Amino acid sequence: MSNHLRTQSLVFGIPWPELNEGLFYSDVVPHSDSELTLIDFYSRKYKNSAPLQGWLQRIQNGQISVDGRVVKDPNTILSGDSVLVYHRLPWKEPDVPHLLEVLYEDDDMVALNKPSGLQVLPGGLFQQRTVLTQLCWSVKKQNSTLNSQETHPVPVHRLGRGTSGILLCAKTKVAKTRLAAYFADGTSRVGATSNRKAERSGTRKISKIYRALVTGILVDDKVIINQPIGIVRYPGVAKGLYVASPSGKPALSKVEVLERDEKQNCTLVQVEIESGRPHQIRIHLSFIGHPLLGDPLYIAGGQPRCFDPELVDESFAQDGGYQRPTNPVPGDCGYYLHAHQLVLSHPTTNEMISITAPLSSILQTSDEANGSLGSMSVNSAN
């Protein structure tokens, strides 16, 4: 193997500062919006960011400039091609872990063990406290002379904030393209006319196996779930919430029971996902009546615990944005789901790489808890 391979344990991460750096959002006013007032522009275009009164507060606070000049009058008339900049003030993001463990690394990619609670990419309340930020900081720390043209590893797929385990990141453009294609290919195969046709369409380049602890006792040792997943309107989730839906997109999960705990009324399962729909495992297991233990959002049927698509809370927080939803949202943690094993064809050498992330005690079988079967391992073979 020509690439440098790191398999020894390495943990990195920089503690989070008290406040993030805030954000700047830029817009160029289209001619179709000329003659709109400043408040109309923002309250219409970004109504998912803040209610009307929240945008009024932001404007009057001097957080918006027009062509480089701070404007505090919400009734200012806009002109076509004017440049608008909204400054979201720095804020304290919720406490999350900052340390990441390297499970595998070579010149093309790195596999991390993501802790539960840490978001992968910026979004919502988490604009700084993410895996992506730590990757960027790590590269800068290693070489302080790096300029803005230098790149850092980037995640090629997502894990839910509450999900732990293997997160694959690309270090080169070629690796990023090929690894992203692996994940997309798995999902597209499930969209084939039938599962049998998908299996005949070629050898999969990547396989993902998760561990999960679910409520109740699964009767069957093996279950195949092919329930489609779609989107519905949901308070606090601007782009909509993913749920089990007959009109949704195809999704396929293969579930295998590892251990049943009659006393605690829960089941330890292994799940291999053939597709990669958002929150797929949480939705599929809840769909068959066995939600993940501790899942605050999804209940039996693959639907949200609290659901009123018409409910909109117009109250706003100190920064003018909406208050944090009182109903559960996808980023809430508390469930037990771990990306345990990943087998893939290396993006440049085509070697088969097998990566395993350590299991927490609650996700180990009795035999694993009494031995060393849950320890981390990395293998490669021609």
Side-chain angles (χ1 to χ4, degrees):
M1 185 172 181
S2 59
N3 290 8
H4 170 66
L5 169 65
R6 176 187 286 144
T7 58
Q8 68 269 28
S9 179
L10 170 69
V11 176
F12 70 95
I14 297 174
W16 306 113
E18 183 70 13
L19 300 177
N20 61 26
E21 298 175 346
L23 293 170
F24 290 89
Y25 300 90
S26 298
D27 283 283
V28 176
V29 179
H31 286 277
S32 59
D33 287 341
S34 62
E35 304 304 318
L36 277 183
T37 63
L38 187 60
I39 185 60
D40 283 344
F41 180 88
Y42 277 102
S43 62
R44 292 180 186 180
K45 185 171 183 179
Y46 296 109
K47 59 184 178 181
N48 289 326
S49 171
L52 175 64
Q53 292 301 317
W55 278 115
L56 282 172
Q57 174 182 293
R58 291 171 172 177
I59 293 170
Q60 292 165 352
N61 281 350
Q63 293 174 243
I64 296 176
S65 65
V66 179
D67 294 327
R69 181 176 60 87
V70 172
V71 174
K72 295 185 178 182
D73 181 1
N75 295 313
T76 299
I77 302 297
L78 300 178
S79 302
D81 294 329
S82 285
V83 177
L84 308 182
V85 178
Y86 158 56
H87 179 204
R88 185 177 178 183
L89 301 176
W91 71 94
K92 185 183 187 304
E93 300 181 15
D95 293 332
V96 297
H98 70 276
L99 294 177
L100 291 161
E101 179 186 9
V102 175
L103 300 174
Y104 173 95
E105 184 175 13
D106 60 30
D107 292 339
D108 298 292
M109 62 184 187
V110 56
L112 305 175
N113 187 11
K114 186 189 86 68
S116 174
L118 182 60
Q119 191 158 296
V120 175
L121 300 175
L125 290 175
F126 299 96
Q127 295 295 328
Q128 182 181 71
R129 299 186 179 190
T130 67
V131 172
L132 186 64
T133 298
Q134 288 292 350
L135 289 170
C136 181
W137 286 354
S138 177
V139 169
K140 289 181 178 180
K141 184 178 179 181
Q142 291 174 27
N143 188 349
S144 59
T145 63
L146 288 179
N147 59 45
S148 60
Q149 300 302 313
E150 296 291 343
T151 60
H152 52 78
V154 293
V156 293
H157 64 111
R158 297 196 189 201
L159 293 180
R161 191 168 79 86
T163 304
S164 59
I166 302 169
L167 178 68
L168 198 59
C169 305
K171 298 172 70 175
T172 68
K173 289 183 178 179
V174 170
K176 179 182 177 182
T177 300
R178 292 180 181 174
L179 291 173
Y182 290 177
F183 285 97
D185 181 61
T187 300
S188 64
R189 287 171 187 268
V190 175
T193 310
S194 68
N195 292 340
R196 184 173 300 175
K197 178 179 178 181
E199 290 171 0
R200 291 200 304 263
S201 61
T203 304
R204 293 170 59 204
K205 293 283 190 178
I206 195 163
S207 176
K208 301 163 285 183
I209 296 177
Y210 291 72
R211 283 285 179 96
L213 190 62
V214 304
T215 58
I217 304 300
L218 267 75
V219 176
D220 297 327
D221 291 337
K222 294 185 178 181
V223 180
I224 294 179
I225 309 169
N226 57 8
Q227 170 64 32
I229 293 174
I231 300 177
V232 296
R233 289 184 59 195
Y234 186 80
V237 184
K239 295 182 179 180
L241 179 69
Y242 288 92
V243 298
S245 170
S247 61
K249 295 182 178 180
L252 179 64
S253 302
K254 298 179 179 179
V255 182
E256 181 177 346
V257 171
L258 299 178
E259 202 162 76
R260 297 177 177 89
D261 189 335
E262 301 277 355
K263 185 177 181 181
Q264 299 295 326
N265 191 35
C266 60
T267 306
L268 181 65
V269 298
Q270 171 178 291
V271 185
E272 181 178 5
I273 56 173
E274 300 279 327
S275 51
R277 305 298 178 196
H279 316 301
Q280 176 174 319
I281 293 176
R282 297 169 67 188
I283 294 170
H284 271 179
L285 287 169
S286 65
F287 175 75
I288 63 170
H290 296 279
L292 268 61
L293 186 65
D295 193 330
L297 177 60
Y298 292 105
I299 59 173
Q303 301 298 315
R305 187 177 304 276
C306 305
F307 186 46
D308 183 355
E310 303 304 322
L311 178 64
V312 178
D313 184 0
E314 289 290 336
S315 63
F316 57 93
Q318 185 176 358
D319 72 342
Y322 287 107
Q323 296 279 12
R324 192 202 181 286
T326 55
N327 288 343
V329 293
D332 291 344
C333 304
Y335 54 89
Y336 299 95
L337 179 60
H338 182 71
H340 179 42
Q341 295 176 320
L342 185 70
V343 179
L344 74 153
S345 173
H346 192 278
T348 59
T349 68
N350 290 322
E351 286 182 284
M352 292 307 298
I353 306 294
S354 176
I355 305 170
T356 303
L359 292 165
S360 62
S361 59
I362 198 169
L363 291 176
Q364 292 180 351
T365 64
S366 298
D367 289 342
E368 289 169 338
N370 294 328
S372 58
L373 296 179
S375 60
M376 182 270 284
S377 64
V378 178
N379 300 301
S380 61
N382 293 324

